[in-house]
Amino acid sequence: GPADESDAPAGRTFAPPSARRLARELGVDIAAVDGSGPGGRVDEADVRAHAEGDADSVGGTDDAGAGSADAPEPKPAPTDVGSGNRTSAVSKRGS
Amino acid sequence: MVVGDIATGTEVLVIGAGPGGYVAAIRAAQEGLDTTLVEKDAYGGVCLNRGCIPSKALITGSGLAHEAGNAEFMGVHADPAVDLGKMVEWKDGVVDRLTGGVEKLCKANGVNLVEGTASFVDEHTVRVAHGGEGQGSESIEFEHAIVATGSRPIQIPGLEFEAEHVWTSADALDADVVPDRLGIVGGGYIGMELATTYAKLGADVTVVEMLDDILDPYEDDVKRIVRKRAEELGVEFRFGEGASGWSEGGDGGYLLHAETEAGEESTYGVDKILVAVGRRPVTDGLDLENAGIETDDRGFIETDDRTRTAVEHVHAVGDVAGEPMLAHAASKEGIVAAEVIAGEPAAMDQRAIPAAVFTDPEIGTVGMTEGEAEADGFDPVVGEMPFNASGRAMTTGHTEGFVRIVADEETEFVLGGQIVGPEASELIAEIALAVEMGATLEDVAATVHTHPTLAEAVMEAAENARGQAIHTLNR
Amino acid sequence: MVVGDIATGTEVLVIGAGPGGYVAAIRAAQEGLDTTLVEKDAYGGVCLNRGCIPSKALITGSGLAHEAGNAEFMGVHADPAVDLGKMVEWKDGVVDRLTGGVEKLCKANGVNLVEGTASFVDEHTVRVAHGGEGQGSESIEFEHAIVATGSRPIQIPGLEFEAEHVWTSADALDADVVPDRLGIVGGGYIGMELATTYAKLGADVTVVEMLDDILDPYEDDVKRIVRKRAEELGVEFRFGEGASGWSEGGDGGYLLHAETEAGEESTYGVDKILVAVGRRPVTDGLDLENAGIETDDRGFIETDDRTRTAVEHVHAVGDVAGEPMLAHAASKEGIVAAEVIAGEPAAMDQRAIPAAVFTDPEIGTVGMTEGEAEADGFDPVVGEMPFNASGRAMTTGHTEGFVRIVADEETEFVLGGQIVGPEASELIAEIALAVEMGATLEDVAATVHTHPTLAEAVMEAAENARGQAIHTLNR
Ligand SMILES: Cc1cc2nc3c(=O)[nH]c(=O)nc-3n(C[C@H](O)[C@H](O)[C@H](O)COP(=O)(O)OP(=O)(O)OC[C@H]3O[C@@H](n4cnc5c(N)ncnc54)[C@H](O)[C@@H]3O)c2cc1C
Ligand SMILES: Cc1cc2nc3c(=O)[nH]c(=O)nc-3n(C[C@H](O)[C@H](O)[C@H](O)COP(=O)(O)OP(=O)(O)OC[C@H]3O[C@@H](n4cnc5c(N)ncnc54)[C@H](O)[C@@H]3O)c2cc1C
């Protein structure tokens, strides 16, 4: 994945605080999570996907990434905001 | 290319060197495109010459004098005198440095500068009439054009700007004497910034506003704080009255006439009248129709999310392309226009454009209010931190206002924020980044904020929304 | 529980009500834990009573007077007089409101407050000695404890604080007369904040510093700007000299003695001497050994990333647990301690703790410098925006300094930032959020920033790092 090409040095994983905390809650080593964001940034959905992948695979390999097809349905992951139909404020211009 | 040369062709032609146009031109040149920028008046446009920058300079000067004159409570005794002429001179120096900088930056990036008034000849040609007699004109062919001609103040019948005592905002920023009595028509952000400035400079200010409150687009509790403070500064408000004209006052001054919808007339004794009721796009003389471009019924040029007009290779950015008529929106659109022309995947895709009002206290907003979030189908949760609970605010003597943060309840994604209070214009930047990044309330709350700062209030508001505020009681 | 009651037991016992302890106690109570907070002196600790808050109040007051007295260039003429006694009174009022607020917030959240001095009896018991005669003591059993006993100023042999003219920072914040000549020992942030304050209040300030520059942990170009400005304010620096004592001056004042490493002695005529050479942890009388806890060779309690000491159910937070000795670090640790005790997945996992110095101009930093990023194995790219190219800075009359942003070249992840200039303490919040979020330079550059604001400089620095700055030349 993109994370492999662009891993930052010093073993640092780039992830927001919410994802880091979720990783601790789920017992996930965040350094082992494949990030789907730019530069391999890890978000909460990535952490959940990793956790589900781990639970699914005996021995807990960390190659079950976000796209793992036969992983159990994760809790609805906040990949986009809510149920609202979010539009850019600017696209309304000129009307 | 030297001004006056006959330019035969350019890849990108930009018309207007305001914050929309000059930023577009610089970015286009950075993208390696041969770029020509035409300006008929002054580099930097309204913003640098008679808008954002001059107003903020006078707000600083009048604010400092007022603050120092009212600081006995903290043991500072001063009785400041303001020389408005000198303040305006300082302001002019700031403007000169900035507009000179814009010109230099354009040149350093390789933008061809042409002085003159552009008008479309056809879809791929403009004629530029050089200012002054016998300066002639030149034709420029272009592959792509960016129209960035900006806006000018709306005039009210009966209050034409020809009269010396009827001011545009530009006049108000160039006065060298503080009028004893200043009538301001319009309680929008320009009217309110200048009402605050002149009240602090010692004028008796009366604001006449057709609506029943100031600062129309803002929420009631935001408006209230700014209005109350303006009243404390001595500003009188006349709501529900439309200004209709003026007459001689007999005392050497004038009478500002206003009437309610029901037809009741009032007059207010004034020495100057500032008309600040909005701005309209500048497209006259551009001969847009020669390029096949139409304007909407308010005169704005319609564009898509790539800043393209109906004629694909002609873009429009900034005030001439409609709301929000703000300098940073113009610049963002300018960057997008240049990048789209260069074939980059740019778009006006940002979630939110922040806005600030530099009243006392300031307002800073970005993204959605609670009501807008609801209307958009979110289930919003809101957190607040009043500045009167902020240690930093107390140590500055400015504790009016609050930070409010709006998020989606389920996902905690930050949707917007409203700040009224000290440095609101600066503090909103963090919430803007949170909105753009898809940060959650937890992300903002978990980010360590320096103590003691006003920015801590953003963190506290996020904690408050999660029922975890330390320095306020949670709802 | 009422003060003076015999408390037999509590789930969480917090010792010390500074920004580490009171925040820990409130969060523990919010987590539903039965929580008891013991404080021997004043709610809010050093920070609220004689640190962050009082210093920032005097910085505001002296800054306003100085600024108003030096604003002729913008047409403001004032000759402010400062009544330091009155300023300190105002500061005391601010402190009272804040410490009263802390007490109220603790109670509102259900924290049991106990006044007195705590010391460990064993791993699960403290004794609290109540102040005043005949007040007796009580024992409190606890399941978990959080030690938040803070720090006190380091004393220099020969410059003991017993002498009335030898000041701690607390004394400098409580003076009612400005000394004609103030000697300051130590050019760290506390020394420099107070040097600036007293120079603006009119004292002749001499700073004696053992090292060869001020503000040891900062980069050279950051230091230089602050040092130069302090010199403009009249502050004299004596680097490479260690203060060794004082003697009577003959003129009613004193001589501050200092010597170089080579043994050369100098004396400086002063009226007061402020010693600000660092702070050391407060653990005396705590009888930590009764709980099985040791301190390191500097006296600090060692903790892990969950704020736990070697004795798992005893946590330590704030200054007593070591660097960074900052209020917001203490509060963050307090929150983590409370949440860890409550079984939450909290940890000191933040990427960066911002820091500010409230000199003129201010400094705000977060995360890595370029050098630190290199040392950490990153290939850093750096972008800068000088405030003298910022429109907003010009309109405030404060154009010293710059924003610097540090990122990883390949991934563009923001690693840190250094700001020196107006409102640096506030502006750093946005970079802190960027660092925590894993934002890239592009994310910061693409976020629309309000014009005209100082925060735009953060965006410009990010653009500069990408070779795309509009308002500066790209490197
Ligand atoms: C008093 C005041 C205060 C303001 N304060 C703020 C603020 O604090 N923050 C903020 O974001 N916004 C503020 N604004 C609004 C801001 O000034 C505008 O949004 C901004 O200037 C729009 O930029 P622009 O590039 O679209 O157009 P403009 O700045 O209007 O520039 C257009 C340029 O095009 C030139 N031009 C026009 N026609 C032609 C032609 N045919 N040929 C050649 N050149 C032409 C003009 O001479 C002008 O230089 C303020 C406005 C005012 C009046
Ligand atoms: C002049 C000055 C300016 C400063 N400015 C800043 C700034 O701008 N920003 C910043 O972040 N930091 C600043 N600091 C540092 C900041 O004050 C400390 O980092 C912060 O107060 C540490 O908090 P704490 O909770 O660890 O301890 P403290 O605030 O020291 O509180 C410890 C508390 O524990 C109590 N206590 C001690 N022993 C016992 C006991 N045995 N029983 C009961 N109670 C006990 C004490 O009475 C005290 O109230 C400044 C410090 C100084 C001196």
Side-chain angles (χ1 to χ4, degrees), chain B residues 117-140:
Chain B
T117 306
S119 54
F120 285 96
V121 176
D122 60 36
E123 279 204 1
H124 281 284
T125 319
V126 289
R127 172 151 304 127
V128 178
H130 298 304
E133 279 174 51
Q135 295 284 319
S137 70
E138 62 181 306
S139 285
I140 306 180

mmCIF file of all heavy atoms in Angstrom, chain B residues 117-140:
data_model
loop_
_atom_site.group_PDB
_atom_site.id
_atom_site.type_symbol
_atom_site.label_atom_id
_atom_site.label_comp_id
_atom_site.label_asym_id
_atom_site.label_seq_id
_atom_site.Cartn_x
_atom_site.Cartn_y
_atom_site.Cartn_z
ATOM 1 N N THR B 117 -6.563 49.748 -18.720
ATOM 2 C CA THR B 117 -7.903 49.207 -18.528
ATOM 3 C C THR B 117 -8.194 48.197 -19.632
ATOM 4 O O THR B 117 -8.137 48.539 -20.812
ATOM 5 C CB THR B 117 -8.947 50.333 -18.580
ATOM 6 O OG1 THR B 117 -8.581 51.333 -17.626
ATOM 7 C CG2 THR B 117 -10.340 49.810 -18.263
ATOM 8 N N ALA B 118 -8.496 46.979 -19.214
ATOM 9 C CA ALA B 118 -8.716 45.927 -20.206
ATOM 10 C C ALA B 118 -10.188 45.806 -20.563
ATOM 11 O O ALA B 118 -11.060 46.016 -19.721
ATOM 12 C CB ALA B 118 -8.212 44.593 -19.652
ATOM 13 N N SER B 119 -10.453 45.487 -21.834
ATOM 14 C CA SER B 119 -11.818 45.118 -22.234
ATOM 15 C C SER B 119 -11.706 44.034 -23.298
ATOM 16 O O SER B 119 -10.748 43.991 -24.066
ATOM 17 C CB SER B 119 -12.576 46.337 -22.748
ATOM 18 O OG SER B 119 -11.848 46.964 -23.771
ATOM 19 N N PHE B 120 -12.704 43.158 -23.297
ATOM 20 C CA PHE B 120 -12.651 42.031 -24.229
ATOM 21 C C PHE B 120 -12.994 42.478 -25.641
ATOM 22 O O PHE B 120 -13.972 43.216 -25.848
ATOM 23 C CB PHE B 120 -13.616 40.928 -23.789
ATOM 24 C CG PHE B 120 -13.110 40.144 -22.622
ATOM 25 C CD1 PHE B 120 -13.494 40.458 -21.319
ATOM 26 C CD2 PHE B 120 -12.220 39.085 -22.812
ATOM 27 C CE1 PHE B 120 -13.018 39.741 -20.240
ATOM 28 C CE2 PHE B 120 -11.733 38.362 -21.729
ATOM 29 C CZ PHE B 120 -12.131 38.694 -20.442
ATOM 30 N N VAL B 121 -12.193 42.007 -26.580
ATOM 31 C CA VAL B 121 -12.468 42.220 -27.991
ATOM 32 C C VAL B 121 -13.178 40.984 -28.544
ATOM 33 O O VAL B 121 -14.180 41.071 -29.261
ATOM 34 C CB VAL B 121 -11.163 42.472 -28.773
ATOM 35 C CG1 VAL B 121 -11.434 42.601 -30.269
ATOM 36 C CG2 VAL B 121 -10.462 43.702 -28.226
ATOM 37 N N ASP B 122 -12.649 39.838 -28.195
ATOM 38 C CA ASP B 122 -13.319 38.582 -28.539
ATOM 39 C C ASP B 122 -12.886 37.539 -27.505
ATOM 40 O O ASP B 122 -12.288 37.882 -26.487
ATOM 41 C CB ASP B 122 -12.991 38.143 -29.980
ATOM 42 C CG ASP B 122 -11.497 37.918 -30.202
ATOM 43 O OD1 ASP B 122 -10.810 37.431 -29.259
ATOM 44 O OD2 ASP B 122 -11.009 38.233 -31.296
ATOM 45 N N GLU B 123 -13.147 36.297 -27.817
ATOM 46 C CA GLU B 123 -12.906 35.233 -26.820
ATOM 47 C C GLU B 123 -11.429 35.048 -26.490
ATOM 48 O O GLU B 123 -11.092 34.390 -25.514
ATOM 49 C CB GLU B 123 -13.450 33.903 -27.353
ATOM 50 C CG GLU B 123 -14.935 33.739 -27.171
ATOM 51 C CD GLU B 123 -15.329 32.263 -27.154
ATOM 52 O OE1 GLU B 123 -14.429 31.412 -27.275
ATOM 53 O OE2 GLU B 123 -16.524 31.991 -27.002
ATOM 54 N N HIS B 124 -10.559 35.568 -27.327
ATOM 55 C CA HIS B 124 -9.136 35.368 -27.098
ATOM 56 C C HIS B 124 -8.321 36.653 -27.168
ATOM 57 O O HIS B 124 -7.100 36.602 -27.312
ATOM 58 C CB HIS B 124 -8.579 34.311 -28.073
ATOM 59 C CG HIS B 124 -8.898 32.911 -27.650
ATOM 60 N ND1 HIS B 124 -8.241 32.273 -26.627
ATOM 61 C CD2 HIS B 124 -9.848 32.036 -28.085
ATOM 62 C CE1 HIS B 124 -8.747 31.069 -26.452
ATOM 63 N NE2 HIS B 124 -9.729 30.889 -27.321
ATOM 64 N N THR B 125 -8.991 37.783 -27.110
ATOM 65 C CA THR B 125 -8.272 39.054 -27.208
ATOM 66 C C THR B 125 -8.867 40.092 -26.248
ATOM 67 O O THR B 125 -10.073 40.195 -26.107
ATOM 68 C CB THR B 125 -8.383 39.641 -28.639
ATOM 69 O OG1 THR B 125 -8.252 38.585 -29.591
ATOM 70 C CG2 THR B 125 -7.330 40.708 -28.876
ATOM 71 N N VAL B 126 -7.969 40.828 -25.624
ATOM 72 C CA VAL B 126 -8.413 42.048 -24.923
ATOM 73 C C VAL B 126 -7.695 43.247 -25.532
ATOM 74 O O VAL B 126 -6.624 43.126 -26.139
ATOM 75 C CB VAL B 126 -8.102 42.050 -23.404
ATOM 76 C CG1 VAL B 126 -8.968 41.074 -22.642
ATOM 77 C CG2 VAL B 126 -6.621 41.851 -23.137
ATOM 78 N N ARG B 127 -8.338 44.395 -25.384
ATOM 79 C CA ARG B 127 -7.646 45.636 -25.669
ATOM 80 C C ARG B 127 -7.369 46.291 -24.322
ATOM 81 O O ARG B 127 -8.227 46.307 -23.432
ATOM 82 C CB ARG B 127 -8.527 46.536 -26.543
ATOM 83 C CG ARG B 127 -7.961 47.948 -26.723
ATOM 84 C CD ARG B 127 -8.400 48.549 -28.052
ATOM 85 N NE ARG B 127 -8.029 47.727 -29.188
ATOM 86 C CZ ARG B 127 -8.899 47.313 -30.141
ATOM 87 N NH1 ARG B 127 -10.172 47.675 -30.078
ATOM 88 N NH2 ARG B 127 -8.482 46.555 -31.143
ATOM 89 N N VAL B 128 -6.163 46.808 -24.183
ATOM 90 C CA VAL B 128 -5.815 47.508 -22.952
ATOM 91 C C VAL B 128 -5.598 48.973 -23.278
ATOM 92 O O VAL B 128 -4.711 49.333 -24.048
ATOM 93 C CB VAL B 128 -4.531 46.923 -22.309
ATOM 94 C CG1 VAL B 128 -4.170 47.715 -21.059
ATOM 95 C CG2 VAL B 128 -4.726 45.452 -21.979
ATOM 96 N N ALA B 129 -6.469 49.818 -22.700
ATOM 97 C CA ALA B 129 -6.319 51.260 -22.899
ATOM 98 C C ALA B 129 -5.428 51.792 -21.796
ATOM 99 O O ALA B 129 -5.702 51.624 -20.606
ATOM 100 C CB ALA B 129 -7.683 51.933 -22.845
ATOM 101 N N HIS B 130 -4.322 52.413 -22.199
ATOM 102 C CA HIS B 130 -3.407 52.934 -21.192
ATOM 103 C C HIS B 130 -3.937 54.237 -20.639
ATOM 104 O O HIS B 130 -4.524 55.037 -21.356
ATOM 105 C CB HIS B 130 -2.011 53.109 -21.795
ATOM 106 C CG HIS B 130 -1.442 51.816 -22.260
ATOM 107 N ND1 HIS B 130 -1.304 50.729 -21.433
ATOM 108 C CD2 HIS B 130 -1.014 51.406 -23.484
ATOM 109 C CE1 HIS B 130 -0.801 49.708 -22.113
ATOM 110 N NE2 HIS B 130 -0.620 50.095 -23.363
ATOM 111 N N GLY B 131 -3.732 54.417 -19.366
ATOM 112 C CA GLY B 131 -4.240 55.633 -18.725
ATOM 113 C C GLY B 131 -3.530 56.861 -19.265
ATOM 114 O O GLY B 131 -2.469 56.774 -19.888
ATOM 115 N N GLY B 132 -4.127 58.028 -19.066
ATOM 116 C CA GLY B 132 -3.493 59.279 -19.477
ATOM 117 C C GLY B 132 -3.698 59.537 -20.955
ATOM 118 O O GLY B 132 -3.973 58.613 -21.740
ATOM 119 N N GLU B 133 -3.558 60.785 -21.317
ATOM 120 C CA GLU B 133 -3.788 61.172 -22.705
ATOM 121 C C GLU B 133 -2.687 60.666 -23.620
ATOM 122 O O GLU B 133 -1.527 60.630 -23.245
ATOM 123 C CB GLU B 133 -3.833 62.697 -22.829
ATOM 124 C CG GLU B 133 -5.170 63.274 -22.432
ATOM 125 C CD GLU B 133 -5.099 64.793 -22.429
ATOM 126 O OE1 GLU B 133 -4.652 65.368 -23.429
ATOM 127 O OE2 GLU B 133 -5.487 65.387 -21.395
ATOM 128 N N GLY B 134 -3.088 60.328 -24.854
ATOM 129 C CA GLY B 134 -2.113 59.959 -25.875
ATOM 130 C C GLY B 134 -1.320 58.719 -25.527
ATOM 131 O O GLY B 134 -0.284 58.442 -26.124
ATOM 132 N N GLN B 135 -1.777 57.958 -24.508
ATOM 133 C CA GLN B 135 -1.031 56.752 -24.144
ATOM 134 C C GLN B 135 -1.390 55.590 -25.049
ATOM 135 O O GLN B 135 -0.730 54.568 -25.033
ATOM 136 C CB GLN B 135 -1.306 56.383 -22.691
ATOM 137 C CG GLN B 135 -0.798 57.407 -21.703
ATOM 138 C CD GLN B 135 0.705 57.314 -21.548
ATOM 139 O OE1 GLN B 135 1.260 56.223 -21.491
ATOM 140 N NE2 GLN B 135 1.382 58.450 -21.513
ATOM 141 N N GLY B 136 -2.510 55.771 -25.784
ATOM 142 C CA GLY B 136 -2.880 54.734 -26.741
ATOM 143 C C GLY B 136 -3.332 53.453 -26.092
ATOM 144 O O GLY B 136 -3.656 53.424 -24.895
ATOM 145 N N SER B 137 -3.362 52.398 -26.880
ATOM 146 C CA SER B 137 -3.824 51.115 -26.367
ATOM 147 C C SER B 137 -3.101 49.997 -27.083
ATOM 148 O O SER B 137 -2.401 50.218 -28.060
ATOM 149 C CB SER B 137 -5.330 50.980 -26.561
ATOM 150 O OG SER B 137 -5.626 50.836 -27.936
ATOM 151 N N GLU B 138 -3.252 48.810 -26.545
ATOM 152 C CA GLU B 138 -2.612 47.654 -27.171
ATOM 153 C C GLU B 138 -3.568 46.472 -27.108
ATOM 154 O O GLU B 138 -4.471 46.424 -26.272
ATOM 155 C CB GLU B 138 -1.310 47.313 -26.444
ATOM 156 C CG GLU B 138 -1.527 46.920 -24.988
ATOM 157 C CD GLU B 138 -0.221 46.612 -24.253
ATOM 158 O OE1 GLU B 138 0.539 45.764 -24.762
ATOM 159 O OE2 GLU B 138 0.020 47.219 -23.196
ATOM 160 N N SER B 139 -3.362 45.544 -27.977
ATOM 161 C CA SER B 139 -4.164 44.331 -27.958
ATOM 162 C C SER B 139 -3.323 43.195 -27.402
ATOM 163 O O SER B 139 -2.128 43.111 -27.673
ATOM 164 C CB SER B 139 -4.604 43.959 -29.367
ATOM 165 O OG SER B 139 -5.621 44.809 -29.788
ATOM 166 N N ILE B 140 -3.942 42.355 -26.622
ATOM 167 C CA ILE B 140 -3.236 41.185 -26.099
ATOM 168 C C ILE B 140 -4.065 39.945 -26.400
ATOM 169 O O ILE B 140 -5.253 39.890 -26.072
ATOM 170 C CB ILE B 140 -2.992 41.306 -24.579
ATOM 171 C CG1 ILE B 140 -2.285 42.628 -24.251
ATOM 172 C CG2 ILE B 140 -2.206 40.106 -24.064
ATOM 173 C CD1 ILE B 140 -2.016 42.833 -22.777
#
